[in-house]
Amino acid sequence: MPLPEPRPDELLYSTIARTAYHYGYWSPAQLLRLLFGSRQVIAVPDLPSNLAALALRTADTWGLSAEELAERHTLLGYYTHFRGQRVRQAVLASMRERGGFNQVRLGVCSGSALNPTRFRLCLSCYEEDRRLGREAYWHRSHQLPGVLVCDRHGGLLHATNVPFRPVGRHEYIAAPQDLSHADLQPVAPALQHREIAQQIARRSASLLHLAPRCTDALPDYRDALAARGFAGHRGTAERLREAVRDCMGVELIEGSLRTEAGRDPLQWLEEVLRQPRRPLHPYRHVLMEVFLQAYGERAQEPLADVHRPTASRRGRSRDSAARHEAALMANMGFSIHAIASALEVDWKTAQRLLQPLAVPAIQPPGEETEDHRAWLALSGAHPDLGKKALRQLNPALYARLYRRDRAWLLSFRAAVSVASVPRGRVDWSARDVQLAERVRAQARTIRAELPMRRVSRSHLLGCLNARALLAHHAQQLPLTRAALAEACESVEAFQVRRLVRVLADHSDAKDISAGQALWKARIEPSRLADRGRSLLALARSQLPGGMHARG
């Protein structure tokens, strides 16, 4: 049977999962050995590795090189477009071989964009794939961070019950072919600005096919923002956040950006108003590009009424060069207004250029002034506040003390009494009883699954998300360890369980031979010392009525 070929916009993970579905592999190790030549390859949906080995073994069927697999069927283009050619080549070299840490290198998990926790489907794409005689598969463009709608149809994406990061390290799960058991949930049911969300989806999907930027310089949005009135004075960051929130909508922002308690999800917009010093997440670039385009289309009126003093004119009266030019022009008989016109400043600024600079009086050390007493009174009136909070209450007083007695102000320590918050103690006995019961229940669930899967310690704890807990606190969980020892089964026990199921499906012992039973149970007799006779004996002993298979 030939391997299923990768479909347009399909993840490589999805193609491998469909291969397992076609061939009926119960064990991930068999599939990995066929495709990669190794059973240690980890299932990674976005930036997989070992592509050179896969391209070598699928060359006759797919005819795709490792570079083509990465560029057409992974999320490499999305995460490296804004990072330049040098970073893309480094990541591509890592994906060719048995590389790792690509997600950390590209900041996949950092930033404020919400990464999908479960695979997503567009219902229109799903019906189209099925109507054209194909199978349903996982589309790349539906799994991009922050994307809430389909880039082609504009319909809401639906999260399935398949985890985007597999519970099993080597597990590949195909897209459901029957949506009645898919447990679909819309990712943003109350989305209002659907057209903006589709623009974001289209721009994000386009990054998958674009070449990386020709320069390693970080993108700079300051000029584009300044042209739209977002530069030049205090409060610009807040105005920018309000403009982005009004353009995108609260539902889109909350559905695509990570929200932390007490923190604005658009706080990172302050970075784009400064000179770029570190790479941004690709979704942030996409959000800025869509916002600049949408805001430019909205703001057709001139921005002349927006007061934007330039940084070069701020504090001009203290500029030594300007003061020297103003003094020369005054000696030559120029008026105040003529000096202001020549230096392109206000006439009051020109007047201050000709006046002597006011030197603040430096307070002699050890002498207490009215400002000292006022600061101490302010601190006494607010004993629960520190120096920074007191500064916000009276910034003028802080500024005077900073100019005149900086050493005293810096040495000041507010008597802030912080009540110690008692830390909650972990009731390990109760947690042990609860976790032991969850282990037994999960073991029963795994044993009831089809296709059958071995109840191993790693898989069972992975389903409960308790691997780290047992690794660090095994001594405090004796009941859980006993439940694991009781519930988990060895490879031989799993083989016997498969044989019992095969024999139970044949009511007549003459219908199936021992060799056929072993073959249907996916057991290779040549790898066993007694060619499976002991396993068959154990399986027959567990059958009701003494059912036997003919030898």
Side-chain angles (χ1 to χ4, degrees):
M1 181 186 300
L3 295 177
E5 295 185 359
R7 302 296 187 182
D9 192 42
E10 182 180 13
L11 282 172
L12 180 61
Y13 173 94
S14 174
T15 308
I16 298 177
R18 290 195 296 115
T19 302
Y21 179 79
H22 276 258
Y23 281 81
Y25 280 108
W26 289 3
S27 170
Q30 297 176 336
L31 178 66
L32 296 178
R33 189 179 296 110
L34 170 68
L35 296 178
F36 295 93
S38 171
R39 57 182 297 177
Q40 303 299 327
V41 178
I42 300 176
V44 180
D46 47 5
L47 299 170
S49 57
N50 297 274
L51 298 186
L54 178 63
L56 179 63
R57 286 168 174 77
T58 59
D60 295 339
T61 306
W62 295 348
L64 298 176
S65 63
E67 291 77 8
E68 291 172 333
L69 287 174
E71 293 174 357
R72 299 182 188 178
H73 301 287
T74 71
L75 304 188
L76 173 70
Y78 177 81
Y79 284 112
T80 60
H81 173 73
F82 295 101
R83 302 293 294 273
Q85 187 68 32
R86 180 177 57 83
V87 174
R88 172 174 288 196
Q89 292 301 322
V91 175
L92 187 56
S94 177
M95 294 173 65
R96 282 178 49 86
E97 306 303 330
R98 193 176 179 179
F101 307 104
N102 291 321
Q103 286 78 4
V104 177
R105 178 185 299 177
L106 295 176
V108 173
C109 301
S110 63
S112 57
L114 282 175
N115 294 307
T117 58
R118 299 186 178 276
F119 278 99
R120 299 173 174 181
L121 283 175
C122 168
L123 299 183
S124 299
C125 293
Y126 181 89
E127 295 298 332
E128 182 178 331
D129 294 339
R130 301 283 288 175
R131 185 173 61 254
L132 295 177
R134 306 174 182 170
E135 301 171 290
Y137 58 86
W138 303 123
H139 287 250
R140 292 191 301 167
S141 56
H142 299 163
Q143 322 304 329
L144 297 176
V147 173
L148 305 178
V149 301
C150 176
D151 58 301
R152 294 177 54 214
H153 303 98
L156 277 177
L157 296 179
H158 288 70
T160 65
N161 54 1
V162 180
F164 188 73
R165 301 294 176 188
V167 176
R169 289 165 55 88
H170 314 290
E171 189 175 30
Y172 291 86
I173 303 179
Q177 305 303 316
D178 183 4
L179 294 184
S180 60
H181 304 288
D183 191 19
L184 300 180
Q185 298 292 335
V187 295
L191 186 62
Q192 298 293 333
H193 294 66
R194 190 72 64 88
E195 68 284 352
I196 296 293
Q198 188 172 10
Q199 292 180 29
I200 293 176
R202 288 174 177 172
R203 178 55 180 161
S204 300
S206 68
L207 300 181
L208 296 169
H209 311 283
L210 294 178
R213 299 174 71 248
C214 58
T215 175
D216 292 335
L218 300 176
D220 193 346
Y221 299 101
R222 289 179 296 172
D223 292 341
L225 290 171
R228 290 160 174 80
F230 297 102
H233 60 91
R234 184 180 299 177
T236 302
E238 182 62 30
R239 289 196 302 110
L240 178 59
R241 286 195 292 268
E242 290 299 326
V244 172
R245 191 175 290 108
D246 178 66
C247 176
M248 302 294 174
V250 178
E251 298 84 4
L252 190 149
I253 292 175
E254 293 180 351
S256 62
L257 294 175
R258 185 179 296 110
T259 304
E260 300 178 2
R263 184 178 176 86
D264 191 344
L266 296 177
Q267 193 72 29
W268 57 271
L269 287 174
E270 296 181 0
E271 297 184 36
V272 302
L273 293 171
R274 300 189 293 266
Q275 180 179 356
R277 299 185 181 276
R278 62 175 184 174
L280 294 177
H281 192 279
Y283 182 72
R284 294 182 176 181
H285 290 291
V286 171
L287 203 65
M288 284 305 304
E289 292 178 355
V290 173
F291 166 73
L292 290 174
Q293 180 181 2
Y295 198 82
E297 294 174 353
R298 292 184 181 186
Q300 298 295 336
E301 65 277 2
L303 300 173
D305 57 333
V306 180
H307 178 62
R308 299 189 301 271
T310 59
S312 60
R313 296 186 181 182
R314 187 175 297 169
R316 192 73 182 273
S317 62
R318 293 181 174 271
D319 188 357
S320 58
R323 293 180 64 85
H324 179 69
E325 292 181 7
L328 291 178
M329 296 175 69
N331 293 333
M332 296 172 61
F334 284 85
S335 65
I336 295 295
H337 290 277
I339 295 174
S341 177
L343 297 180
E344 297 182 353
V345 296
D346 189 80
W347 71 271
K348 290 185 178 181
T349 303
Q351 190 177 44
R352 285 193 293 268
L353 286 171
L354 299 175
Q355 296 174 353
L357 291 175
V359 180
I362 305 300
Q363 182 67 29
E367 183 176 346
E368 185 173 313
T369 64
E370 188 66 29
D371 287 340
H372 291 89
R373 289 189 289 272
W375 182 264
L376 293 175
L378 183 64
S379 177
H382 303 278
D384 56 334
L385 299 183
K387 187 188 303 182
K388 185 175 181 180
L390 294 175
R391 174 186 179 180
Q392 295 175 351
L393 292 178
N394 196 336
L397 176 60
Y398 181 91
R400 290 198 302 271
L401 287 172
Y402 189 84
R403 289 196 303 266
R404 298 173 182 176
D405 199 350
R406 185 177 305 178
W408 181 88
L409 183 61
L410 295 179
S411 62
F412 174 79
R413 292 292 183 271
V416 180
S417 58
V418 180
S420 60
V421 179
R423 298 180 59 186
R425 299 290 182 179
V426 177
D427 188 352
W428 287 107
S429 299
R431 177 174 288 191
D432 191 16
V433 172
Q434 181 183 12
L435 187 57
E437 183 59 32
R438 291 178 59 198
V439 165
R440 297 187 183 94
Q442 186 62 40
R444 292 191 294 268
T445 302
I446 297 175
R447 288 177 179 272
E449 289 179 352
L450 288 177
M452 300 175 65
R453 177 152 190 168
R454 184 166 73 93
V455 187
S456 65
R457 176 188 175 94
S458 176
H459 179 62
L460 196 153
L461 292 178
C463 294
L464 298 176
N465 197 20
R467 289 174 180 165
L469 181 64
L470 264 294
H472 296 289
H473 302 285
Q475 297 300 324
Q476 288 92 337
L477 303 169
L479 297 180
T480 304
R481 287 188 281 115
L484 281 172
E486 177 185 351
C488 296
E489 60 183 353
S490 62
V491 175
E492 292 76 11
F494 182 46
Q495 292 174 338
V496 171
R497 184 156 63 92
R498 299 205 305 266
L499 280 171
V500 169
R501 182 175 184 82
V502 170
L503 295 176
D505 291 340
H506 296 76
S507 57
D508 190 355
K510 297 181 180 180
D511 290 346
I512 185 171
S513 65
Q516 290 174 334
L518 292 172
W519 180 82
K520 287 182 175 294
R522 300 295 193 270
I523 299 174
E524 178 56 48
S526 61
R527 301 181 61 180
L528 303 174
D530 59 352
R531 302 190 65 82
R533 288 189 292 271
S534 60
L535 294 178
L536 281 169
L538 287 173
R540 286 195 293 266
S541 66
Q542 297 182 16
L543 287 172
M547 187 184 302
H548 297 280
R550 57 190 176 88

